[in-house]
Amino acid sequence: MGEAVPVDQEPAEQARETVRQLRSLATPAGAAALTRAAELLAARTDAVTALTRLRGEVGVELAGPAWGIARQRDKARTAFGADADRLLFTGDTLEQAGRPVLADRRARRLLSGGAGSAADLGCAAGTDTMALARAGSRVVAVDRDPVARELTRLNTAATGLAGVEVRDADVVDLVAAADGGRVAGCDAAVLDPARRSGGRRLLDPDRWSPPWSTVSTLLDRVPWCVVKVAPGLDHERVPAGVEAEWVSVGGSIVEALLWGRAPSAVWRRATVVARDGAVTELTADSDPGTAPAAPVRRWLHEPDPAVIRSGLVALVAEQLGATLVDPTIAYLTSDSPADSPWVTSYPVTDVLPFNLKKLKALLRGRGVGRVTVKKRGSAIEPEALARQLRGPGEGTAVVVVTRVAGAPTAIVCTVP
Ligand SMILES: C[S@@+](CC[C@H](N)C(=O)[O-])C[C@H]1O[C@@H](n2cnc3c(N)ncnc32)[C@H](O)[C@@H]1O
């Protein structure tokens, strides 16, 4: 949304205006305006023309908000599928929204102990609230932002989910008052702190909203809880008895979770979701330490980022009979390819000290034209180097720039 809200409005007034607009879109006239805006967007109508037409067809009041929501729905479709056309998001709440498939998975595990009620502590547009309700729980959805509360109300209604109470409260206070293993009157809780401010990532967990102190209090007081944290969270922060899980989809980390002491089952868990939706999990009851390092062999294995972030590379090395190329770098090497969901394997053709001229000459000699550059432990810019290495040949190669036994090295591989 946002098109219809003048920028000089005070935040509280702006929020009131956004809530009013959202309510107007939940009427039959609003639904018609949304349908029309979606049609114009699907026809790739430019914003100025679309808004002019919408103003004429559905009125000045509904045109801007309908166009804004249609654009957010378009962005939401990849993660939310057909549901995107029933849901309302602002730009901020869509950016903060997790993937519904993963929210469902989290909700099922959180409720597996039999909790009948769950608090969504910071509900934004209600992704977790809807997942908890779909999993059969009564839900108390809390947010101090009136726009978030309205979105959660409207979204749960639009998806026909019952048993959701939306509450205006400060999560810091609710967690401070948690008692007897319960928070906000519920048996279980999801906490997903805001980790951005002014469009920038907040790297320091003490600056999240609510801050780390609330995260650790919740983990101490409410056994059936799960907290979404930044994927880069320092392992030192994870309290004893709390399982930390990193989830990747299609090779990128999408979320990191700290599980309360009741659902916690292991020390760390790496969850890899393949492009076809298949889920594979790797777990360890304790820190497996660091894998041994040895010279590069015939195959190079790139561990999935969920394996790396969860500290389970040594476990995978053991499974594959592989070693690290350097004690500080998460590339593995072995004599044979790996049929494993935890790594992508590349056949190695050459290993040479990193030198642009020599690398270029070697690739030309091999007839390589197109190069994919990967790096770890090196300051090079992969796209820039790939452009520099591009040649006239027909062949392709993967060039891995990294450290081997402490020395800057290029490992040339064929495309698997
Ligand atoms: C990252 S978003 C939650 C996203 C949501 N789980 C989802 O997947 O769509 C965090 C939310 O917490 C709310 N919030 C932050 N600090 C809060 C506090 N102290 N009390 C209540 N709500 C808070 C923000 O307004 C925001 O809507």
Side-chain angles (χ1 to χ4, degrees):
M1 302 235 333
E3 274 83 354
V5 181
V7 284
D8 56 356
Q9 284 183 2
E10 291 298 318
E13 195 187 322
Q14 191 171 318
R16 267 195 299 279
E17 174 60 11
T18 306
V19 167
R20 195 194 60 71
Q21 293 176 351
L22 290 169
R23 287 185 184 155
S24 71
L25 290 173
T27 61
L34 282 166
T35 305
R36 185 67 190 119
E39 283 167 5
L40 289 166
L41 196 66
R44 296 174 182 267
T45 317
D46 70 85
V48 176
T49 313
L51 280 165
T52 309
R53 284 210 206 151
L54 279 171
R55 282 189 200 109
E57 294 176 26
V58 303
V60 181
E61 290 280 301
L62 288 171
W67 181 247
I69 292 289
R71 285 176 49 229
Q72 300 308 332
R73 284 182 169 174
D74 201 42
K75 287 188 209 154
R77 205 156 289 121
T78 328
F80 285 80
D83 262 354
D85 293 320
R86 297 195 281 172
L87 300 174
L88 301 173
F89 297 97
T90 56
D92 279 354
T93 54
L94 182 58
E95 194 176 289
Q96 291 177 318
R99 294 167 185 240
V101 179
L102 297 181
D104 284 338
R105 181 175 172 270
R106 267 198 319 274
R108 283 195 298 271
R109 181 166 175 200
L110 184 67
L111 301 174
S112 62
S117 56
D120 181 3
L121 302 173
C123 56
T127 323
D128 284 295
T129 295
M130 290 185 280
L132 291 162
R134 274 195 293 271
S137 178
R138 183 174 73 73
V139 188
V140 174
V142 179
D143 212 296
R144 61 181 180 191
D145 173 4
V147 174
R149 293 196 299 275
E150 191 60 27
L151 287 167
T152 298
R153 256 183 227 114
L154 293 171
N155 286 339
T156 45
T159 43
L161 291 163
V164 175
E165 178 203 337
V166 180
R167 210 182 276 178
D168 176 8
D170 191 323
V171 169
V172 174
D173 298 338
L174 289 178
V175 172
D179 192 28
R182 292 162 61 86
V183 62
C186 297
D187 309 326
V190 174
L191 172 58
D192 181 7
R195 298 181 298 276
R196 280 177 175 274
S197 177
R200 297 179 62 180
R201 254 191 209 125
L202 297 170
L203 298 177
D204 178 0
D206 295 328
R207 298 186 57 212
W208 295 348
S209 183
W212 180 259
S213 53
T214 297
V215 172
S216 71
T217 305
L218 183 76
L219 288 166
D220 279 343
R221 297 201 181 164
V222 181
W224 286 100
C225 74
V226 60
V227 184
K228 259 170 96 175
V229 294
L233 185 81
D234 191 343
H235 281 246
E236 296 288 310
R237 290 251 185 194
V238 183
V242 165
E243 174 185 324
E245 176 182 18
W246 278 263
V247 182
S248 73
V249 176
S252 301
I253 297 272
V254 291
E255 61 183 39
L257 307 170
L258 299 182
W259 288 96
R261 290 188 172 81
S264 279
V266 292
W267 176 72
R268 298 289 185 266
R269 183 183 306 260
T271 300
V272 170
V273 183
R275 287 185 205 282
D276 65 2
V279 176
T280 329
E281 298 179 6
L282 180 71
T283 60
D285 291 332
S286 60
D287 187 350
T290 312
V296 180
R297 289 181 269 166
R298 286 174 53 204
W299 287 80
L300 188 78
H301 311 288
E302 183 181 24
D304 185 276
V307 171
I308 299 174
R309 280 302 320 159
S310 57
L312 301 182
V313 173
L315 216 60
V316 173
E318 201 183 324
Q319 281 181 8
L320 305 183
T323 43
L324 291 171
V325 300
D326 183 284
T328 62
I329 301 284
Y331 281 126
L332 293 168
T333 183
S334 73
D335 290 321
S336 36
D339 182 16
S340 161
W342 314 122
V343 297
T344 308
S345 301
Y346 302 90
V348 176
T349 58
D350 305 87
V351 181
L352 60 158
F354 181 70
N355 174 303
L356 183 59
K357 230 168 129 186
K358 288 190 178 154
L359 188 55
K360 249 176 157 168
L362 183 136
L363 294 170
R364 293 278 152 104
R366 296 263 155 81
V368 170
R370 212 150 37 83
V371 176
T372 303
V373 175
K374 292 177 170 285
K375 69 147 190 180
R376 196 157 285 155
S378 161
I380 60 117
E381 199 28 78
E383 287 78 22
L385 182 62
R387 275 195 301 277
Q388 286 175 296
L389 293 177
R390 200 182 291 150
E394 292 287 305
T396 53
V398 176
V399 172
V400 178
V401 183
T402 187
R403 279 198 304 275
V404 170
T409 303
I411 305 173
V412 181
C413 307
T414 48
V415 180

